[in-house]
Each structure stands twice: as C-alpha cells, then as structure tokens.
Amino acid sequence: MHGRIKVKTTLEQQEAKRKEREKKLQLYVSATQAALQKRENGQLDKEALDLTAQILSLNPDFASLWNLRREVFLQLQTDRSDEEMQSLCSGELSFLENCLRVSPKSYGTWYHRCWIMKIMPKPDWARELALCNRFLEIDERNFHCWDYRRFVTQSSSVPDPEELEFTTSLISKNFSNYSSWHYRSKLLPQIHPDQLRIGRVTEGALLNELELVQNAFFTDPNDQSAWFYHRWLLGRADHPLSIRCVMVSLDEGCVSVTFSQSVAVQDDLILFLNDKPIFVSWRTAGRKEKRSLFWVCDLPKECINDRCCQYKFQVLWKDGEAKKECILYPGTRETWCRDSATENEFFSLDLSEGKSNVLQQELKSCKELQELEPENKWCLLTIILLMRALDPLAYEKESLGCFETLKVVDPMRSGYYDDLRSKFQMENAILKMEYAESFIIDLSKKGLTRLCHLEHLGQVTHMNLSANRLRVLPSNLSMLRRLQMLEVDNNEVVRLEGLWNLPQLEELSLQCNQIENVSDLQPLASCPHLSVLHLQGNPLCEKADTRTQLEALLPHVNTIHLSLI
C-alpha cells in the first residue's frame, strides 16, 4: 500500500501476534471491569482516573468512561482547593490532547474537553485557540474542532471580525475549505447584519463576498465548497413566523388561519371578535396532524347575531408574536386578509441598481464559464439561481432549459432537480396569478413532481394540475377552502390525502391516474358540495362493483364518470 512492499509473515509470527492481541484484550477487559466496579461501589478516586485513562488512551470513544471521569472530577471538586483543581484540569487537558492524537474526531473527547474548560478555575483560552489551529492544519474539515473553536471564541469573547479574518486566511490557502466558508456564513450576519432581512448581510458586505467567492469557483470550477457558499449569498431572508391569511366564512360557520410555518396549536392561538376574546377549539383540516400550516375553528352561533353590523376578527399567536385581523362588513358572508407574495417579495430579492449590475455581471461570467465547462453542474445551478435573483419571470424559459441540461449532466440527482424546478414554477405561477388579480391558477403541463407554497393559494377557486407527474395530493391542499374546481388529469396520483374537508369543492377530475381502490377516495366523503367526479382511466374503473361502492361511499355526488367513452 502506498508503494510499500508487503512482507510475508511466517506462521510463528502470526501466532505471536495473535497471542499479543489476546493479552492486550484481556488487559482491556479487566481494566474496564475494574473501572465500572469502582463506579458501582461509589469509589470516585484517583485510581478510577488511572484505570479509565488506560482504556481511553486506546479507545477514546468509550462514552461511559468519560462520564465516570466527570463524576470523579465533581467529587474531587468538593474537597480540593482551586490550585489543586487547576493542576488536575491541566493534567486532564494534556491527557485529552493525547487522546485526540489517537482519534481527532472523537465526539466524547471533544465534549469532555469543553466540560473541563468550564470547571477549570483559570482556563487558558489562548492555549486552546492555538490547539484548534494545530488540529485544523492537520485536517481543515474537522467539524468537531470547528465546533470546539466556536465554543472557545465565545467563551473568551474573541471579536467576530478576528474570526472572519481567520477564515479568510484559511480560504486564501485552500478554496476547498468548506468549513471556513460555512463559518463565514455564521459570522457575517453578526458583523454586517441587514436590518430589514433577518439572517442576511448588508449590500456592501454581500458585494465583497460575491467577488471573493467568484475568484474561488473560477479557480477550481469543480469544487463544490465555493458554489455552496455562493448559493447562501443569493438566498432569501429568513422570514419570521407569521400569519399569512385569516379567512371568515359565515356559510361554513368557521374561521381559518394559515401560518408561514407548521405550528402546533394548543392555547397559543386566540381569536378576538370586536376586541373581545372568544373561546374556540382549533383543529387541522386533515385528521391526525399535530403540526400544520392550517388551522380552523367553528364560530359560536351566538357571536354573529346582527347581519347589519360590522365585525372585526383578530387572531393573536403567542402574545403578539404574530397577528392578523380582517373586517366582516354588513351584508357580507365572507371576508379574508392575506399577505401578498409580490408585495412582500417572498420569492425574490430586493435588488438595488448596484447589486443588480453585479449579479448581471456574475451571470455573464458564469455563462462564459459554462461554455468552457459545459458539464459543470454547480455552474448550471448557479446560473439558474442568478436568473431567479434577477428576474424569475423574464428568465423563466431559459431557467427551464438549464434544468433539462442539469438532468443530463447529473442524472443521479434528477429527482432533486425536478422538485426544485417544480418549486420555482409554482412560485412563477403564483406571481402571475397575483399580477393578474385572479383566483384561477393554471399549473398544467409543467412536469410538476411536488406541490409547494400552497399557503399562498387560500383564495383560489379553480386549479388545473393536469398533465404533470404528481403521485400524491398533499395534506396542505386542504388549505384551499374556496376551491370549487380541481383538475388533476393525466398524473400518477395514487392517494388523495389532501382532499379532506374542502367545503366548496364542486367538481373534481382525476382522469387517467393510478387510483386502484374505492377506499382511496375516502377523503371525498368529507367534501359536502362535491357533485361531479371524473375517474375515467383509473385502474379501479375496471372492477365490476366500483360504481356500487362509490355510490355507497359518496351518496352526495350526483354524477360519477367511470367510462372514457
């Protein structure tokens, strides 16, 4: 191996090695048993430290023995002076350094070192920082050491700009230092926080970083580290949890609330009517979800006793962490208040002229690089992200072409690219729908493999999902409380778990899918206004008793189409 000539051993040599291994194993087992026996007897003394040291120096990943050493130290703390504990801790740190030379990525060893530094009377943080530097010179991607370094810098109040400079020095030596890029993404929002975009950096800092990372991926286009960091730079802000939509329906006698993130509602969501809290019981639209984007409650009948009056509804989440209100005007039966994806820029970046020019130049440079490296998947993916950052609708057609090329050059991740393309296409469709001020969305013939961002479609009345590659209608589809017409023809749907409790659904077309059993249509029994159902071209249509079973399951449906003729 590595140019060394393999030397054959004789049978006598093999036997001698076997006996030596057995002897070491016996010593290991006996020392382990003795250490654990002392723990059981409550003998937390210096001898316990010596016994565990024998074993851990050979196998630093023996978690129970690290626990035993901590118990010994806690016992010694009760009757030792600070000077004695300082000496014991210093010796322990030297022992730990030896263990790390045996196993530099030992979880137990690094954790125990953190623990010792916390109880040490006078910790030497500068020494620990130097130790981290030595280990990172050996393996710059040792994430255990990086985690420990963050613990050291936080405990010793090392300024973030100094740490940022440290990452710069490592990256300048090796652009492939992924851990340094990652650490950089944690430091920059602390040093240059964007006050309007949570978790992001100011425009000036961003432009400097784009120049740095561009040098990296032009130097080595096939290294993924810089491409991943570039993707983070182009990422959107981390939006805090918010209430995206509140809708009130007197016909259904309910109030529904849509969140930006899945939540578990217990007593944290409060409904107010004309500024007075009312007692309601919240539930999900499905059956068993404990966490959901969508929650609904029944309105007590006595709440709305005068249809000629105006009513203000307000929902409050966790004492004001998120809230939204809407007004039910006299004579109306329905009202809502929702966030706009276009106005709130959920799917885009807020670009100044300077930043837009820089991204345009980056896009041009990446396209030039892609001509030189036509099979570089990182470059192709970055081109897509740059186009979306600049103008998702203007570059829509070109982005789809890049996705097709990506699937050719990187077929192992074609499923991921299909899902990402589906996400972007749904974002584009939502933007177009809002610009047109419409409640109809056409998502047909887009090759969708998943549905996302459904929390933005609560007011949609007609949806066309035909000619895609959907296998499941997800549970979040139940958020579409105003949906009246749904077309899902020519997909691969086998389950309808998202169609529970759609109160206004009138017509559903599921032609040419993969539905095999009538029981798979059980959710439709909870849609009270469903009157027309198209099932032609599904396997269940070939069974003789399908119509009889459907009429028993869905007696409220007036027309059921089973034949293609």
Side-chain angles (χ1 to χ4, degrees), residues 350-508:
D350 182 15
L351 299 180
S352 67
E353 183 179 353
K355 185 175 177 181
S356 180
N357 291 337
V358 170
L359 294 188
Q360 286 283 4
Q361 185 58 46
E362 288 235 335
L363 179 59
K364 180 181 177 182
S365 300
C366 283
K367 287 183 176 180
E368 292 173 355
L369 179 60
Q370 202 261 330
E371 290 178 3
L372 300 173
E373 302 272 348
E375 296 188 358
N376 188 308
K377 62 183 180 182
W378 303 108
C379 187
L380 281 165
L381 187 56
T382 300
I383 287 173
I384 293 172
L385 297 175
L386 282 167
M387 290 191 293
R388 290 202 65 76
L390 287 163
D391 192 330
L393 297 182
Y395 288 104
E396 182 174 24
K397 186 176 180 180
E398 191 174 349
S399 296
L400 294 177
C402 289
F403 271 117
E404 292 305 313
T405 307
L406 262 177
K407 290 169 64 177
V408 173
V409 301
D410 189 18
M412 288 185 63
R413 295 168 183 81
S414 60
Y416 165 74
Y417 299 135
D418 282 338
D419 285 350
L420 186 61
R421 182 185 61 181
S422 298
K423 175 187 174 185
F424 289 163
Q425 286 191 285
M426 287 206 65
E427 291 178 358
N428 290 350
I430 292 170
L431 292 176
K432 292 174 184 177
M433 180 189 71
E434 289 197 0
Y435 285 134
E437 298 182 350
S438 172
F439 294 134
I440 299 173
I441 188 164
D442 186 0
L443 293 164
S444 63
K445 300 179 182 178
K446 296 186 181 296
L448 300 182
T449 54
R450 61 186 290 241
L451 299 178
C452 52
H453 299 307
L454 294 175
E455 67 273 18
H456 295 282
L457 302 178
Q459 281 67 52
V460 165
T461 58
H462 292 70
M463 174 184 279
N464 189 351
L465 296 170
S466 298
N468 286 299
R469 294 161 53 199
L470 301 171
R471 293 185 56 82
V472 176
L473 297 181
S475 58
N476 285 345
L477 203 62
S478 58
M479 291 188 288
L480 279 61
R481 305 287 288 182
R482 300 185 71 239
L483 188 63
Q484 299 170 14
M485 172 67 185
L486 177 60
E487 298 174 73
V488 201
D489 300 334
N490 297 293
N491 278 274
E492 303 165 17
V493 173
V494 294
R495 298 199 309 275
L496 308 179
E497 57 192 47
L499 299 186
W500 287 96
N501 301 311
L502 290 175
Q504 297 189 30
L505 184 63
E506 298 175 359
E507 184 171 353
L508 172 63

Side-chain angles (χ1 to χ4, degrees), residues 224-235:
Q224 65 183 11
S225 302
W227 292 109
F228 270 121
Y229 184 67
H230 189 268
R231 186 170 182 176
W232 174 77
L233 290 173
L234 295 180

Side-chain angles (χ1 to χ4, degrees), residues 88-142:
L88 283 170
C89 289
S90 296
E92 187 74 353
L93 291 176
S94 298
F95 168 65
L96 285 165
E97 190 169 340
N98 292 331
C99 290
L100 287 172
R101 291 195 180 99
V102 175
S103 179
K105 295 183 179 181
S106 167
Y107 285 89
T109 310
W110 285 108
Y111 178 82
H112 190 67
R113 195 172 188 93
C114 285
W115 188 84
I116 289 295
M117 292 300 292
K118 289 177 181 178
I119 69 164
M120 195 173 187
K122 297 178 180 179
D124 186 350
W125 297 111
R127 179 180 182 278
E128 296 305 294
L129 210 55
L131 177 135
C132 291
N133 292 344
R134 291 200 304 273
F135 274 93
L136 289 176
E137 286 178 3
I138 298 170
D139 181 2
E140 59 195 15
R141 293 195 178 196
N142 186 338

